[in-house]
Amino acid sequence: MEFRDTHRWRGAAGLSLLAVGAGAVSETPGALLLGAFGVAFVAYARVFTPPTPDLSLERTVHADDPQPGDEVDVTLTVTNDGGFLPDLRLVDGVPSSLDVVDGSPRLATALRAGKRASMTYTVEAARGDHEFSPVDVVARDVTGAHEVQASLLVDADLQSVPALPQLDSFPLRSQTVQRVGRVPTSTGGSGVEFHATREYRTGDPLSRVDWKRLARTGDLSTVQFREERAASVVAVVDTRDRSHVADDAGEDAVEYSVEAAGGVASALLDSGDQVGVAAFGPHWAWLQPGLGREHRARVREMLATDRGFARDPPDRRFLGGIVFRRLRKHLPGDAQVVFCSPLVDDNAVEYVRRLEASGHPVTVVSPDVTGDGTFGQQVAMLERAARIRSLRKGGVRVVDWTTDEPLALAVATAERGWSA
């Protein structure tokens, strides 16, 4: 607790003494009386000592599993376990990542011993784990000459874990792992797409014998299909401070990148591929590629609540070389990378090139948060377009996502260009 004088009556003391002096010189009884009253009141205020509040606080978040955009009521109740507090003010520690949409997190009241007061306000839930800050408390004595200020901790948080976005499919590059999946390879084997025929070998299943060729030429041959294998993919989200730029609607580009990573992970897990996620920023986050229902839950939880994917800009410096080497060290040797980034600077392009050069085929999903309303926005838009062209010339696939359209549409448009 911090005790201090408010100096509220400093001016009153001066004016009172001035009134006393003026009354004495002019022999005016009214001025003398007014001055004496002021001096007496200032002296009365000095008799009091700073209050020593003894408070119990309770914060209730009225939501079990809120989704982003839901309105959630928060109630803060204060109980006075000490003496009378004639002037008590509280400000609740609302996380900066949450917006108050109704009511106020501030309370000013007088509270007798044993009594309680409460306030209720409404916040809009957002993706992530939002921990409330301590409650700021100011208590003053009856004259307002002394006050005590304190920050009281009340444990509470609001966690919103949205479901992974739905994306029907996501096209991958050709590198695969030795496990049956859905990515076609140049190797003949099991699958659904015709690859070639070869001479029949003992043990070949009768279902793969080319009966038409046998009837036509008398040669016994076996049909081979293009073998399909699973991929190992890591969705990397560019969470550097530079990437926390907002569009005209105020939505952060990192939010779009996290959404893209979730959609990519969902689509690839549905198709039987192994998927991992990583945060490429000051706060490192990594989940090894895997598959299955439990792994999907881990992906969802990490993208929603891990500090590496937080909505707020990072509070520490980004050491690009160290983070890039850490990412390279963690990436499995056969892993593809889906790099989700708004491409706001040339460094992002350089990281993609270095990943591609190190043997990890990269596909970039880039949410477009640029605008054309100002000269600066137009320059940023042109620079981003140049970076995309540069990546494509280097053989890197880029999904240019206009964020007012569904991601699935951007993926389908990009895929048509790759297959043309």
Side-chain angles (χ1 to χ4, degrees):
M1 291 185 180
E2 179 182 354
F3 298 90
R4 61 192 180 197
D5 293 332
T6 62
H7 305 297
R8 169 180 288 185
W9 303 107
R10 175 179 293 175
L15 291 175
S16 299
L17 292 175
L18 181 62
V20 170
V25 172
S26 62
E27 298 181 351
T28 305
L32 276 171
L33 181 60
L34 180 62
F37 178 77
V39 171
F41 190 85
V42 171
Y44 172 75
R46 289 185 175 278
V47 171
F48 285 87
T49 57
T52 53
D54 183 6
L55 303 174
S56 298
L57 294 173
E58 181 181 3
R59 185 189 289 117
T60 304
V61 180
H62 303 276
D64 294 328
D65 184 22
Q67 292 298 299
D70 289 353
E71 294 187 351
V72 178
D73 291 338
V74 180
T75 299
L76 181 69
T77 301
V78 53
T79 303
N80 185 6
D81 298 324
F84 174 55
L85 295 174
D87 187 349
L88 178 64
R89 307 179 187 200
L90 301 97
V91 180
D92 200 2
V94 182
S96 59
S97 51
L98 298 178
D99 294 330
V100 177
V101 295
D102 191 23
S104 172
R106 299 172 180 270
L107 175 66
T109 184
L111 208 58
R112 289 184 294 173
K115 298 296 182 180
R116 62 173 54 186
S118 62
M119 60 179 174
T120 299
Y121 57 94
T122 305
V123 299
E124 181 176 320
R127 178 189 64 83
D129 189 4
H130 312 278
E131 185 175 358
F132 284 76
S133 303
V135 180
D136 290 331
V137 177
V138 175
R140 293 176 176 171
D141 62 19
V142 70
T143 66
H146 308 92
E147 69 178 18
V148 57
Q149 182 175 5
S151 294
L152 303 180
L153 181 63
V154 186
D155 291 334
D157 65 355
L158 192 156
Q159 190 176 79
S160 178
V161 182
L164 291 178
Q166 291 299 309
L167 190 64
D168 292 338
S169 64
F170 188 82
L172 292 173
R173 308 277 289 273
S174 59
Q175 188 181 13
T176 58
V177 297
Q178 298 299 318
R179 190 169 55 78
V180 175
R182 58 101 186 182
V183 178
T185 70
S186 58
T187 305
S190 59
V192 295
E193 182 182 351
F194 175 79
H195 175 65
T197 58
R198 61 166 172 77
E199 185 178 354
Y200 176 81
R201 297 171 187 167
T202 303
D204 285 349
L206 294 179
S207 60
R208 291 172 57 186
V209 171
D210 190 347
W211 296 107
K212 292 183 179 178
R213 183 176 182 181
L214 177 64
R216 187 172 63 252
T217 65
D219 296 331
L220 190 57
S221 58
T222 299
V223 176
Q224 286 188 304
F225 298 94
R226 191 177 301 278
E227 188 168 307
E228 295 181 344
R229 295 173 184 166
S232 178
V233 184
V234 177
V236 179
V237 180
D238 182 358
T239 58
R240 298 172 300 143
D241 183 61
R242 296 289 304 271
S243 297
H244 281 273
V245 291
D247 59 11
D248 290 337
E251 190 67 53
D252 196 302
V254 172
E255 279 298 291
Y256 290 119
S257 295
V258 171
E259 179 184 347
V264 169
S266 176
L268 297 180
L269 287 171
D270 287 342
S271 58
D273 297 305
Q274 297 186 74
V275 182
V277 292
F280 191 74
H283 297 290
W284 172 252
W286 168 260
L287 180 62
Q288 187 76 14
L291 47 77
R293 181 177 301 177
E294 294 183 359
H295 186 74
R296 178 189 293 269
R298 285 194 290 269
V299 171
R300 176 189 176 195
E301 182 81 14
M302 172 166 274
L303 288 177
T305 63
D306 193 281
R307 185 176 60 168
F309 302 98
R311 293 172 56 88
D312 295 332
D315 55 1
R316 65 169 62 170
R317 192 161 62 95
F318 174 64
L319 303 175
I322 295 176
V323 176
F324 184 81
R325 286 193 293 273
R326 179 180 293 179
L327 176 62
R328 283 284 317 281
K329 181 179 179 181
H330 281 75
L331 281 174
D334 55 3
Q336 297 192 31
V337 172
V338 178
F339 194 74
C340 304
S341 168
L343 299 176
V344 295
D345 62 358
D346 293 337
N347 288 338
V349 175
E350 182 61 26
Y351 292 129
V352 171
R353 286 175 174 159
R354 290 170 65 182
L355 283 170
E356 183 82 14
S358 63
H360 298 285
V362 182
T363 301
V364 176
V365 179
S366 181
D368 183 7
V369 295
T370 62
D372 57 1
T374 65
F375 177 73
Q377 289 177 325
Q378 293 173 8
V379 171
M381 181 175 61
L382 293 174
E383 289 179 342
R384 177 178 174 276
R387 294 184 188 108
I388 291 176
R389 286 196 300 271
S390 173
L391 287 172
R392 286 173 173 166
K393 285 181 180 178
V396 176
R397 289 178 170 181
V398 180
V399 178
D400 186 3
W401 177 24
T402 304
T403 53
D404 56 357
E405 296 178 344
L407 175 60
L409 179 60
V411 172
T413 302
E415 189 174 12
R416 285 196 295 271
W418 299 334
S419 59

